[in-house]
Amino acid sequence: GQQLNQSPQSMFIQEGEDVSMNCTSSSIFNTWLWYKQDPGEGPVLLIALYKAGELTSNGRLTAQFGITRKDSFLNISASIPSDVGIYFCAGAGNTGTASKLTFGTGTRLQVTL
Amino acid sequence: EPEVTQTPSHQVTQMGQEVILRCVPISNHLYFYWYRQILGQKVEFLVSFYNNEISEKSEIFDDQFSVERPDGSNFTLKIRSTKLEDSAMYFCASSEVQRNSPLHFGNGTRLTVT
């Protein structure tokens, strides 16, 4: 089946640093989503990307949909302690409705003061 | 902001028993989903549901599983004859019917099978 690989698997950064993580696939996806998951909670949508090459920001977060449609990256600028969590990319092969999501392996982010 | 709610937050059951996990999707959403996350692993798709029928299901979603929308607000996942390996977080999600609408997830039900 389709697989999404995220890197890095985990990262420790200091507060105020910028963070970059990416997601690659062997298959094409038509929609890329980035979610954040805090312990004991469900994934929370951060950014949705619908077109190849699209660059979208949400506050300190910026994500891009790769032009090959096989990758995406997420940047977090000026990290703060509440950025701690697991970040998942998710791809959907269908830009229509009822899009089944394939989730990535996750990047665990820890922020030190 | 409207949200997907799931109950119970934690369910403990004995192997072989049946469990029903409940979800109330966001009220104007028409697509519903169940996903599963085994501890420490990624989130995996189980099933999608629209217009009172299953739209798509994964190989995980075998005859042991069933879904139902018993009324206008609830969406349930039934797991029959539970096994130890069914222990996981089960997330319900919903989305609007419009094109490209993203999924919104609930906080999950932690199922522990002993």
Side-chain angles (χ1 to χ4, degrees):
Chain A
Q2 296 171 317
Q3 296 226 359
L4 295 182
N5 295 308
Q6 284 184 245
S7 64
Q9 281 188 314
S10 64
M11 52 198 316
F12 288 81
I13 61 166
Q14 287 199 321
E15 184 178 6
E17 287 185 352
D18 295 343
V19 174
S20 185
M21 59 189 80
N22 66 59
C23 189
T24 58
S25 169
S26 56
S27 314
I28 286 174
F29 286 101
N30 291 323
T31 301
W32 285 87
L33 304 165
W34 283 91
Y35 286 87
K36 178 174 182 265
Q37 186 178 29
D38 291 328
E41 297 186 11
V44 174
L45 181 67
L46 298 175
I47 291 182
L49 301 159
Y50 301 112
K51 286 172 56 176
E54 179 181 353
L55 183 71
T56 297
S57 292
N58 177 10
R60 294 180 295 107
L61 278 60
T62 302
Q64 183 156 31
F65 188 150
I67 56 172
T68 65
R69 293 190 285 162
K70 291 183 177 181
D71 63 325
S72 176
F73 72 74
L74 174 71
N75 288 342
I76 305 172
S77 62
S79 57
I80 59 178
S82 61
D83 290 334
V84 164
I86 302 177
Y87 291 79
F88 289 101
C89 62
N94 181 352
T95 53
T97 54
S99 294
K100 169 188 132 181
L101 295 183
T102 299
F103 277 81
T105 47
T107 292
R108 182 182 296 274
L109 177 65
Q110 295 187 262
V111 180
T112 55
L113 297 174
Chain B
E1 186 175 323
E3 55 183 31
V4 176
T5 57
Q6 291 186 241
T7 55
S9 57
H10 191 189
Q11 173 90 51
V12 181
T13 189
Q14 286 192 326
M15 204 164 47
Q17 297 296 304
E18 175 182 288
V19 294
I20 297 177
L21 310 183
R22 302 181 191 279
C23 169
V24 179
I26 294 172
S27 62
N28 66 333
H29 287 187
L30 295 178
Y31 276 96
F32 314 118
Y33 311 81
W34 284 100
Y35 283 76
R36 178 180 82 174
Q37 185 179 32
I38 294 171
L39 184 65
Q41 298 186 22
K42 66 180 182 180
V43 179
E44 301 174 289
F45 170 77
L46 292 178
V47 66
S48 60
F49 189 88
Y50 172 71
N51 200 26
N52 283 321
E53 61 182 23
I54 291 173
S55 303
E56 189 173 359
K57 59 183 181 179
S58 71
E59 59 275 8
I60 302 170
F61 194 89
D62 59 21
D63 292 343
Q64 186 192 2
F65 296 87
S66 62
V67 290
E68 191 179 29
R69 186 149 166 85
D71 54 43
S73 59
N74 290 284
F75 179 52
T76 62
L77 173 69
K78 182 187 290 186
I79 309 175
R80 287 177 282 274
S81 190
T82 49
K83 300 173 285 196
L84 294 176
E85 53 265 40
D86 293 328
S87 296
M89 284 289 286
Y90 287 82
F91 293 107
C92 174
S94 67
S95 65
E96 298 177 25
V97 75
Q98 290 94 326
R99 189 177 179 86
N100 292 344
S101 52
L103 275 63
H104 295 264
F105 286 82
N107 278 336
T109 293
R110 178 174 297 284
L111 176 65
T112 302
V113 182
T114 60

